[in-house]
Amino acid sequence: QVQLVESGGGLVQPGGSLRLSCAGSGTVFDPYMMGWYRQAPGKQRELVARVGSGGSSGGIVKYADSVKGRFTISRDNAKSTVYLQMESLKPEDTAVYYCNAHYYNTDAWGQGTQVTVSS
């Protein structure tokens, strides 16, 4: 099963940008659907964005309505890495962001990285 390690979180002011990275290891990365989820205090974990397998840079992408036009998910299978570019960040984007790898009935998760949007 793939192992995932996220990086890139931190504190940013409203309107700022961050790029999260998720590096996979332990198995072939290409077949996995890769996603970013987030969980804010007192709330359920929610899907932020996901990108399907297929080709060197992935397949179909899906975004939560709350991040459309602001976040971009991408993957580089040669580097076994998925990215989440976050622009125009808002305080409500504050959460722990988790990387997910899904293949048939298996799911792998990273340890999470904290993103805090505050002035």
Side-chain angles (χ1 to χ4, degrees):
Q1 189 169 347
V2 65
Q3 286 85 48
L4 304 171
V5 178
E6 301 102 333
S7 61
L11 173 65
V12 62
Q13 292 186 342
S17 302
L18 278 176
R19 188 174 85 152
L20 305 183
S21 299
C22 172
S25 63
T27 189
V28 178
F29 186 77
D30 302 26
Y32 286 84
M33 175 181 290
M34 299 302 300
W36 286 96
Y37 290 71
R38 66 187 181 187
Q39 187 166 18
K43 295 187 176 181
Q44 288 189 331
R45 191 172 297 188
E46 62 175 1
L47 174 69
V48 176
R50 67 178 184 220
V51 56
S53 61
S56 61
S57 56
I60 297 172
V61 299
K62 175 182 172 65
Y63 295 97
D65 289 343
S66 58
V67 306
K68 281 181 181 177
R70 300 188 298 122
F71 291 11
T72 302
I73 188 170
S74 62
R75 65 190 291 169
D76 184 340
N77 288 340
K79 296 182 179 180
S80 298
T81 301
V82 62
Y83 304 97
L84 185 68
Q85 179 68 41
M86 305 186 292
E87 308 282 350
S88 303
L89 282 160
K90 305 175 181 180
E92 51 263 43
D93 295 317
T94 296
V96 178
Y97 283 70
Y98 296 92
C99 181
N100 169 265
H102 177 78
Y103 183 67
Y104 284 101
N105 62 343
T106 65
D107 281 277
W109 295 90
Q111 81 287 354
T113 185
Q114 177 70 46
V115 172
T116 302
V117 184
S118 175
S119 55

